[in-house]
Amino acid sequence: KNSYDVSSASNLIVKQWEKNGEVYYFFNTGAVTWDGAEKIYNSKCEELCYYCGFCEKTDCIDNFPVYNSSDWVKVLPE
């Protein structure tokens, strides 16, 4: 969060979700609506899974709320 720097032209929104004491981050750019991938990371910056519009569904995605769920809470930009 301290190094988050984005121009006004950026469409990046960082969202977070917590489950069982673990924090997960979803870097939401809107790409999933155009069949692009949007990745999910844990608090150690390890990539865990991704959302993708018409891509083949990954099994890991069942562990997370849907990409447009209100369970994902926007943390950046503030």
Side-chain angles (χ1 to χ4, degrees):
K1 191 171 185 176
N2 292 338
S3 63
Y4 182 83
D5 184 23
V6 63
S7 73
S8 61
S10 174
N11 61 348
L12 174 66
I13 296 172
V14 180
K15 296 182 176 184
Q16 109 180 7
W17 175 63
E18 295 183 41
K19 181 178 181 182
N20 298 330
E22 296 290 328
V23 180
Y24 303 96
Y25 298 94
F26 165 33
F27 289 72
N28 181 219
T29 63
V32 73
T33 60
W34 299 101
D35 201 25
E38 297 186 304
K39 299 178 180 179
I40 299 170
Y41 297 89
N42 63 15
S43 59
K44 297 176 187 173
C45 295
E46 298 168 325
E47 183 181 321
L48 302 178
C49 200
Y50 62 89
Y51 294 109
C52 193
F54 293 106
C55 301
E56 185 175 324
K57 184 182 176 207
T58 59
D59 291 335
C60 62
I61 205 61
D62 292 335
N63 298 322
F64 301 96
V66 295
Y67 79 94
N68 58 355
S69 169
S70 62
D71 291 338
W72 286 106
V73 178
K74 182 172 118 174
V75 291
L76 290 172
E78 295 179 328

